[in-house]
Amino acid sequence: MKNYKSTKLSNVAEVFSGFAFKSSDFREVGIPAIKISNVKNGYVDLEDNSTQYLDNYVLKKIDSKFVVKNGDVLTSLTGSHITQPNSVVGRVAQYKHKQNSLLNQRVGKIRVTNGRLCDLNFLFYYLSTKFVRQEIAQLAHGAANQANVSPKDIVKIKVPLPPLPIQKKIAAILSAYDELIENNNRRIAILEKMAEEIYREWFVRLRFPGYQNTEFEKGIPKGWDLKELGSLCKKVTDGSHSSPEYFEGGMYMASVKDMTAYGFEKDTMKTISEPDYEKLVKSDCKPFDNDILIAKDGSYLKHVFVWKDNYEVVILSSIAILRPNLDKILPYFFASLLKQPSTKSMMSGFVSGSALPRIILNDFKKMNLLVPAYELIKSFENKVTPMFNQIRTLLNINENLTNTKNQLLPRLISGKLDVESLDIAFPPGMKEEQETQNA
């Protein structure tokens, strides 16, 4: 292990909180305002459903330091404590978007003040280590589910300072993994768009195979019928209405907050004891292969996906399970139908609550859906299944890349893996960030 010098973060960087925008400042469109909900583990999510926007005129009345640019490093200053599952306070993310955003209060921006001693990318990866995230979170005070940490406390953290060329090499190695992951994400997005376009061509524009020879009645192809959602399923249910206690290193239990486009974020899921897990399995809170999982509470239908993962998990009541009757409807078609804006607009009659909208399953079962002839559903399923299989493969590759990066990260930063003699090419993304930061 290298005996790298270290210093307080305050000697090489500053941390400051975002601007306290008024609620009247926010708009439906405009410049994104980065809030705590946008700060994920490692990245900033501008697609989060809670994202709000600001008018361009806001730029004229605030300091430019609150503008978030590509490559900036952010941290969440408020949220659940590290002792709680789904810890939020102390999350560190690097902004990877071409469009600028604005920094909202309780999100901290970390800015290097001494570039001769410290590289921003190296600092991001160091602050992303589990050990440092725990250190930041342990500085927090307040209730465990809503703890706060001060920028003045964060800058007291010690930072190792290898020679600057070594910092840049370490960052380049880790950044290369991130760029591979991002490339795969772009491929996933293309596959998603292809599958969506096929659905829209066939079932929205009605230009499905053989449509020229199909009889229509009142604008609807013969053989298509309105069917209640419940009649298409063997089961419509949700997860557990009570949450067992957290058990470190136990079995996964997912809530709506853990949902992504195609599964669950393992880093945020709560873990429970095996006996508690088995109780929930017996209560039918475990998804089966080909089940459709939907976000039931909060931003309902924000996520809808076909369950295909091979690890064990049970779910809470904020997620609904639709177990399709495969003799009547097939999973990828069913999920695509539920994702449509027209379907979501119909949901208003099956939702209760204003502060926390929630799908009422007994009513949801009665929602009428226009269902094509089964042979056409089967043709669609055959067409898109290879695309979704490829998406699943890319997601698995990304998970392996992330695990490898996470294993390398502490060894590189501690000096256990010596990079001094390595000839390392900087990935394109790092070059672009350097140019942005120097502009």
Side-chain angles (χ1 to χ4, degrees):
M1 182 172 176
K2 295 284 187 180
N3 187 22
Y4 292 140
K5 293 180 181 179
S6 64
T7 188
K8 286 183 179 179
L9 180 61
S10 59
N11 291 327
V12 292
E14 64 173 340
V15 181
F16 55 87
S17 183
F19 190 80
F21 296 107
K22 297 176 183 177
S23 57
S24 58
D25 289 332
F26 295 114
R27 300 287 184 269
E28 293 292 323
V29 295
I31 305 169
I34 305 301
K35 297 185 172 184
I36 293 165
S37 56
N38 300 106
V39 179
K40 310 299 184 183
N41 287 324
Y43 68 99
V44 176
D45 180 11
L46 294 184
E47 301 301 319
D48 187 272
N49 200 58
S50 64
T51 301
Q52 291 181 292
Y53 302 88
L54 298 148
D55 280 335
N56 283 317
Y57 82 88
V58 175
L59 287 171
K60 299 176 182 178
K61 70 175 187 177
I62 64 170
D63 194 300
S64 61
K65 72 178 185 178
F66 297 116
V67 176
V68 182
K69 298 180 179 179
N70 185 45
D72 283 346
V73 177
L74 309 177
T75 184
S76 52
L77 302 175
T78 299
S80 55
H81 196 271
I82 196 74
T83 57
Q84 302 294 305
N86 309 329
S87 168
V88 173
V89 68
R91 281 184 183 171
V92 179
Q94 190 163 33
Y95 189 79
K96 295 278 190 177
H97 301 276
K98 291 183 178 179
Q99 68 174 126
N100 291 347
S101 293
L102 292 168
L103 194 70
N104 198 51
Q105 62 181 336
R106 304 314 301 161
V107 177
K109 183 175 176 180
I110 301 167
R111 185 163 65 179
V112 167
T113 55
N114 191 336
R116 291 178 288 106
L117 290 178
C118 185
D119 176 72
L120 181 62
N121 289 297
F122 170 82
L123 184 60
F124 161 65
Y125 286 114
Y126 174 70
L127 296 175
S128 299
T129 59
K130 187 175 181 180
F131 171 78
V132 178
R133 283 197 58 227
Q134 288 177 332
E135 189 177 353
I136 293 174
Q138 285 166 359
L139 295 169
H141 54 85
N145 62 348
Q146 194 65 19
N148 294 280
V149 66
S150 166
K152 292 180 181 178
D153 290 326
I154 294 176
V155 294
K156 296 175 185 176
I157 291 171
K158 288 287 187 75
V159 179
L161 289 179
L164 197 61
I166 292 178
Q167 290 183 40
K168 290 181 181 292
K169 286 183 178 183
I170 290 171
I173 292 169
L174 297 171
S175 182
Y177 280 90
D178 284 339
E179 294 205 9
L180 286 172
I181 292 169
E182 184 54 36
N183 285 339
N184 286 340
N185 286 338
R186 282 193 282 269
R187 293 171 65 190
I188 288 169
I190 291 169
L191 290 164
E192 283 179 325
K193 192 170 183 180
M194 288 169 60
E196 170 65 13
E197 184 57 27
I198 292 170
Y199 179 91
R200 293 187 66 79
E201 181 72 1
W202 289 20
F203 305 112
V204 178
R205 302 184 192 106
L206 300 182
R207 292 198 286 262
F208 48 86
Y211 76 94
Q212 301 94 331
N213 303 316
T214 300
E215 290 186 49
F216 283 71
E217 293 181 345
K218 297 181 180 179
I220 297 173
K222 265 194 171 183
W224 294 34
D225 291 308
L226 280 173
K227 295 181 181 178
E228 287 190 353
L229 182 143
S231 71
L232 300 169
C233 301
K234 292 181 177 178
K235 183 182 282 290
V236 178
T237 187
D238 56 12
S240 173
H241 287 250
S242 62
S243 178
E245 290 185 6
Y246 171 62
F247 183 85
E248 187 174 358
M251 308 293 287
Y252 286 124
M253 184 175 72
S255 78
V256 69
K257 293 179 181 178
D258 305 310
M259 294 183 83
T260 65
Y262 290 101
F264 299 115
E265 193 170 339
K266 288 183 178 178
D267 286 346
T268 68
M269 273 194 287
K270 182 178 179 179
T271 50
I272 59 176
S273 68
E274 193 163 346
D276 283 335
Y277 177 86
E278 292 300 329
K279 286 179 186 176
L280 295 187
V281 170
K282 289 178 182 177
S283 301
D284 206 15
C285 298
K286 180 181 184 296
F288 293 173
D289 192 53
N290 286 328
D291 280 354
I292 313 299
L293 301 188
I294 68 173
K296 171 175 163 274
D297 293 358
S299 301
Y300 58 87
L301 287 188
K302 177 185 177 183
H303 293 301
V304 178
F305 57 78
V306 179
W307 180 250
K308 288 285 186 181
D309 280 292
N310 56 6
Y311 62 89
E312 301 291 312
V313 66
V314 288
I315 63 173
L316 286 172
S317 63
S318 55
I319 301 170
I321 298 174
L322 277 59
R323 191 159 294 153
N325 183 336
L326 300 181
D327 293 330
K328 297 181 178 181
I329 198 165
L330 296 173
Y332 287 123
F333 170 81
F334 202 2
S336 298
L337 172 58
L338 291 170
K339 286 180 182 179
Q340 296 306 304
S342 57
T343 305
K344 187 168 183 179
S345 68
M346 286 194 291
M347 290 298 299
S348 59
F350 309 97
V351 173
S352 71
S354 54
L356 183 66
R358 178 176 289 118
I359 295 173
I360 306 301
L361 290 184
N362 283 335
D363 295 335
F364 186 45
K365 293 177 188 178
K366 300 173 185 176
M367 185 168 75
N368 284 316
L369 299 172
L370 182 60
V371 180
Y374 188 78
E375 286 303 313
L376 185 57
I377 293 175
K378 190 188 292 186
S379 295
F380 174 80
E381 203 79 3
N382 290 337
K383 190 85 170 176
V384 301
T385 294
M387 299 176 193
F388 286 107
N389 287 343
Q390 182 63 21
I391 286 173
R392 180 62 51 197
T393 298
L394 291 168
L395 289 170
N396 289 336
I397 291 171
N398 278 357
E399 184 174 355
N400 290 333
L401 287 168
T402 300
N403 290 338
T404 302
K405 186 189 79 170
N406 289 341
Q407 290 168 7
L408 277 174
L409 195 152
R411 293 174 63 81
L412 286 167
I413 286 175
S414 68
K416 287 182 179 178
L417 288 178
D418 191 357
V419 301
E420 189 171 3
S421 59
L422 297 181
D423 184 16
I424 296 171
F426 290 92
M430 273 188 68
K431 292 178 182 177
E432 290 174 10
E433 285 166 20
Q434 295 290 342
E435 290 169 3
T436 301
Q437 291 159 20
N438 293 333

